[in-house]
Amino acid sequence: MKYVLVINPGSTSTKIAIYSTESMEIHTEVVEHSAEEIRKYDHIADQDAMRREAIVSVLREKGIRKEDLAAVVGRGGLLKPIIGGTYLVDMDMINDLKNAVQGEHASNLGPILAKEIADEAGVSAYIVDPVSCDEMDDLARFTGLKGEERGSLAHYLNIKGATRKVCREKGYDFNEDNFIVAHLGGGFSIGPLRKGKLVDVNNANHGGPFSPERVGTLPLGVFVKYAYDKDYEKRSLLKKFQRGSGLISHLGTSDAREVERMIHDGDDYAAKVYQAMAYQIGKEIGACAAVLKGDVKAIIITGGLAYSSLMTGMIKEYVSFIAPVELVPGELEMKSLYEGARRVLMNEEEPLRYREEILSEKF
């Protein structure tokens, strides 16, 4: 039997799944990495060897040899803007990830780890619908500065996977109906999905509501103040905005479960911060409804925060007048990654080449 190894690095964990090529899930595991361990590395790419050893250890424990692998697929990272699809991992892609062309993110390790393990096994490595896909309408790209455009970084895998799941269950048409999808994890991706295309999105690293880790949209004066603060240079400021803001800045934790325990214990400030986050999420969803001119089949809330009845209840109060709210807690990324690789293995589609599909070389 041959297997497909799926690798999905997160900020403090590495999710691993092993599937047979006949579509059966053999094993899933989440390897946790302590904050102390993560802090040893200045750059996310430097975590490569540590995470690779953790993955190989799981394979050894499960008796999976390198010659048993048919392919390895990793979560796509912050690449240059590209069209959606399944991509062969090559050195053009690896170099851009190591150079952090669109920023540092744990997902940058997905293709790197996948290729290293695949090369040892003599098979191909793939990514599927990375966060740097770009399906934005031209009007959505405009800013108030000529020559500067909004980008399209988003949780494409889970946004599309969750929407397909809701369509199957409710009888909606993925390619014909319109949805608003809010992926609520450590970062947020909230956008209007028009006939299968994510035509706008807040961009998880650069705007929208504040999240458990990210700063969200900042008033311009606040940003300028930090930009000219001598205590920060570019890398440390980006790290603060993308990894040390949101719930972490306000409450010292990015774990919503811990925040809810604080609220349960009577912490009024924690309650207000949590309410403010729900308020901003609701406001972003309302903006998406305007993009779709009110033609919204359903609002889909997915990601880790979709497990929280407290958070989703507050969001519903703001947006349920727009359309029915459907909850898809957690994520479907592992299955979506596997299915993308399997389509290539079954010759149902041809893998794309990164360099050939780049939509912009600005980054």
Side-chain angles (χ1 to χ4, degrees), residues 85-125:
T86 299
Y87 284 79
L88 185 71
V89 178
D90 57 22
M91 289 312 299
D92 286 330
M93 183 184 295
I94 297 297
N95 289 336
D96 276 357
L97 291 168
K98 288 186 175 180
N99 290 327
V101 291
Q102 284 220 67
E104 294 204 55
H105 189 271
S107 64
N108 288 3
L109 285 164
I112 295 171
L113 291 165
K115 182 165 176 57
E116 289 176 348
I117 294 172
D119 284 351
E120 290 182 6
V123 298
S124 295

Side-chain angles (χ1 to χ4, degrees), residues 3-6 16-20 24-29 58-59 62 64 69 334 338:
Y3 303 96
V4 175
L5 171 64
V6 181
I16 304 163
I18 302 167
Y19 291 84
S20 76
M24 185 171 61
E25 184 177 308
I26 305 299
H27 177 73
T28 60
E29 186 165 334
V58 172
L59 294 177
K62 299 303 168 186
I64 306 293
L69 296 176
M334 305 303 277
Y338 161 71

Side-chain angles (χ1 to χ4, degrees), residues 90-333:
D90 57 22
M91 289 312 299
D92 286 330
M93 183 184 295
I94 297 297
N95 289 336
D96 276 357
L97 291 168
K98 288 186 175 180
N99 290 327
V101 291
Q102 284 220 67
E104 294 204 55
H105 189 271
S107 64
N108 288 3
L109 285 164
I112 295 171
L113 291 165
K115 182 165 176 57
E116 289 176 348
I117 294 172
D119 284 351
E120 290 182 6
V123 298
S124 295
Y126 303 100
I127 62 169
V128 182
D129 290 332
V131 293
S132 57
C133 288
D134 190 337
E135 298 174 339
M136 287 177 70
D137 280 351
D138 287 342
L139 290 180
R141 300 180 189 280
F142 273 79
T143 71
L145 287 176
K146 186 176 181 180
E148 297 294 336
E149 295 184 345
R150 296 180 61 238
S152 181
L153 294 179
H155 297 83
Y156 273 83
L157 260 182
N158 201 47
I159 284 173
K160 295 200 172 188
T163 304
R164 290 183 186 278
K165 183 176 188 294
V166 169
C167 287
R168 288 193 298 268
E169 294 175 351
K170 299 295 181 179
Y172 301 142
D173 190 324
F174 178 82
N175 293 308
E176 293 297 327
D177 292 326
N178 299 334
F179 306 90
I180 298 168
V181 189
H183 174 102
L184 308 180
F188 294 165
S189 293
I190 304 173
L193 199 67
R194 183 196 296 142
K195 301 182 185 300
K197 301 293 185 183
L198 194 66
V199 295
D200 199 348
V201 70
N202 63 290
N203 188 322
N205 277 343
H206 297 164
F210 70 82
S211 76
E213 297 181 351
R214 291 165 177 72
V215 73
T217 299
L218 273 181
L220 182 59
V222 175
F223 173 77
V224 171
K225 179 182 74 173
Y226 276 91
Y228 280 87
D229 189 324
K230 293 180 181 178
D231 290 338
Y232 292 100
E233 44 85 33
K234 180 180 179 180
R235 191 176 73 191
S236 63
L237 188 56
L238 284 172
K239 186 174 182 180
K240 178 180 180 63
F241 287 161
Q242 296 176 3
R243 287 287 175 267
S245 297
L247 294 183
I248 288 178
S249 177
H250 284 285
L251 303 172
T253 179
S254 61
D255 189 335
R257 295 166 298 183
E258 178 61 26
V259 174
E260 293 191 14
R261 282 193 288 270
M262 295 164 71
I263 295 170
H264 183 266
D265 291 340
D267 189 325
D268 291 338
Y269 183 67
K272 185 165 288 188
V273 169
Y274 215 46
Q275 290 165 4
M277 191 163 72
Y279 170 88
Q280 292 192 7
I281 293 167
K283 187 166 70 170
E284 192 77 19
I285 289 172
C288 294
V291 171
L292 296 173
K293 300 178 180 178
D295 181 9
V296 183
K297 188 66 69 173
I299 296 165
I300 301 167
I301 301 177
T302 185
L305 276 175
Y307 284 111
S308 168
S309 58
L310 176 59
M311 176 55 64
T312 57
M314 290 191 290
I315 295 170
K316 286 178 182 179
E317 291 180 3
Y318 290 110
V319 305
S320 58
F321 74 95
I322 298 170
V325 178
E326 304 290 344
L327 303 181
V328 184
E331 46 81 16
L332 306 174
E333 293 174 340

